[in-house]
Amino acid sequence: MAVHTSQSVAKAAGDDIARGRSRRTDQRPGGIRRALSTHWYAWAMVAPVVIVLGVIIGWPLVRGIYLSLTDANERNVARTIGVNHIDATYEFVGLDNYAAVLGDPVFLQRLVWTVVWTVACVSITFALGLTLANMLNRTFRGRGFYRMALILPWAVPGFVSVFAWRFLFNRDNGILNKLLEGGGISAIPWLDDPTWAKVSVIAVNVWLGVPFMMVALLGGLQSIPGELYEAAEMDGAGPWQRFRHITMPGLRTVSMTVVLLSTIWTFNMFPVIYLLTRGGPGDSTEILVTQAFRQAFISTPRDFAGSATWGVLILALLMIFALVYRRSLRKQGEVW
């Protein structure tokens, strides 16, 4: 009887497995069609966003990659002069533009400064944002006012902030140099000296980035249960131990996200560099994105193929960074 029962169970299990396999086999050919018919409303809601992104981002990206494989410039692209239309005469050159850019010492110079600029800005912004978030996470009089005041730089348009800082950094009439002269210190060439210009652009970008970092980390701090701190304090843990073993692990997910976003934004931070120093003095503060802009809109003749090549390389560098960053997070047990 027991043998018969076990045989029946095994047979039933085998039939279930066979039906499962046949069901999966049946779903494979028409999986997409079945998903569309079942979740058509979701697809309909997502479709406009996908179409808009495809038009706004997809087409320029494809066009840029194509131009990077040609010798297109201001003189050989299609253009209209009066009533006369001149057809494009640029030609396909393959990977010659990439070989030229990667072999140019200017690319390495721009890349090194861009990496230094990004690391410095993100590191200082994260440190200041974390410090301010910890301060504002406590209860004290006037906390709401300080929160609003610290978020103010984020509310002001970026170009307005940069122009305001440009006036502050003015060598002859800027407020900063006036204050230094009042203290008996000679004026500093904030935007006229290569080293001081780099310090200036980093300071302005940090000032613009701290509010976002602070708000994001403050939200992460408020999601950490207060019971953990109370239990740790009862166990005799000091402030540094509580910060190290409770605050930082609790902020890990938020921190990884804001660091990634801040890195991508800073790497491509065109307004601060261009509006504050125009890449100068000389070319000391040029980053990769401003160099691409310069080739497309300032140099003569305008080199569209070269600018597109710089743009594609910037995208490739950021994609490589994101992949490496994601892999490192997965090794640490973070799901992203």
Side-chain angles (χ1 to χ4, degrees):
M1 182 67 180
V3 174
H4 179 73
T5 304
S6 62
Q7 290 178 350
S8 301
V9 172
K11 183 178 179 181
D15 294 341
D16 292 339
I17 294 174
R19 283 196 297 271
R21 288 177 179 174
S22 62
R23 188 181 298 113
R24 287 194 297 269
T25 303
D26 294 340
Q27 287 179 355
R28 286 175 186 172
I32 298 177
R33 182 181 304 174
R34 187 173 291 104
L36 289 174
S37 61
T38 304
H39 307 289
W40 66 269
Y41 183 78
W43 286 100
M45 296 295 292
V46 172
V49 178
V50 174
I51 294 173
V52 171
L53 290 178
V55 173
I56 296 177
I57 298 176
W59 167 244
L61 177 61
V62 173
R63 179 65 176 173
I65 295 174
Y66 170 72
L67 286 177
S68 70
L69 302 175
T70 67
D71 61 350
N73 57 49
E74 187 177 11
R75 296 172 179 172
N76 57 21
V77 296
R79 55 199 183 279
T80 301
I81 302 177
V83 295
N84 299 318
H85 177 75
I86 302 176
D87 294 328
T89 58
Y90 57 84
E91 299 177 353
F92 183 83
V93 297
L95 300 177
D96 291 351
N97 291 324
Y98 293 93
V101 171
L102 294 175
D104 191 348
V106 173
F107 176 78
L108 182 60
Q109 295 173 5
R110 301 289 183 269
L111 178 61
V112 170
W113 163 235
T114 303
V115 172
V116 172
W117 143 268
T118 303
V119 172
C121 289
V122 174
S123 302
I124 298 174
T125 302
F126 181 81
L128 290 177
L130 182 59
T131 302
L132 294 172
N134 275 281
M135 294 173 60
L136 294 178
N137 194 40
R138 302 175 181 179
T139 303
F140 58 91
R141 182 177 298 178
R143 183 175 64 171
F145 170 77
Y146 287 111
R147 286 184 177 182
M148 182 180 64
L150 290 171
I151 294 175
L152 184 61
W154 197 15
V156 178
F159 70 93
V160 175
S161 300
V162 174
F163 283 136
W165 277 100
R166 188 175 177 87
F167 285 119
L168 293 175
F169 283 135
N170 187 275
R171 184 171 186 173
D172 299 323
N173 302 313
I175 296 177
L176 295 179
N177 280 339
K178 292 295 184 183
L179 293 175
L180 292 176
E181 291 176 358
I185 303 174
S186 58
I188 295 177
W190 296 104
L191 304 180
D192 300 325
D193 178 77
T195 302
W196 282 111
K198 292 179 179 180
V199 172
S200 300
V201 294
I202 291 175
V204 173
N205 194 65
V206 168
W207 187 80
L208 291 172
V210 162
F212 164 76
M213 193 72 69
M214 180 193 68
V215 170
L217 294 176
L218 181 59
L221 286 173
Q222 293 179 347
S223 67
I224 301 176
E227 294 81 3
L228 297 178
Y229 291 100
E230 295 175 0
E233 190 173 0
M234 292 179 62
D235 291 339
W240 169 248
Q241 291 176 319
R242 295 196 298 270
F243 176 79
R244 179 182 177 184
H245 297 289
I246 298 178
T247 302
M248 291 309 295
L251 289 177
R252 179 176 298 173
T253 303
V254 177
S255 299
M256 296 299 102
T257 302
V258 295
V259 167
L260 176 63
L261 293 176
S262 183
T263 299
I264 294 175
W265 293 339
T266 305
F267 200 88
N268 287 324
M269 184 56 70
F270 174 82
V272 172
I273 298 291
Y274 188 76
L275 296 178
L276 193 63
T277 65
R278 302 280 179 173
D283 58 356
S284 59
T285 57
E286 289 273 13
I287 59 176
L288 294 175
V289 67
T290 59
Q291 179 67 30
F293 174 84
R294 183 174 299 278
Q295 288 195 264
F297 297 100
I298 298 178
S299 63
T300 304
R302 291 183 292 173
D303 187 2
F304 302 129
S307 177
T309 304
W310 283 79
V312 173
L313 289 174
I314 292 171
L315 175 62
L317 290 171
L318 289 175
M319 290 180 63
I320 293 172
F321 168 76
L323 291 174
V324 173
Y325 191 81
R326 179 175 180 270
R327 179 169 295 183
S328 66
L329 291 183
R330 296 188 66 178
K331 288 182 179 179
Q332 297 175 12
E334 295 291 336
V335 180
W336 180 73

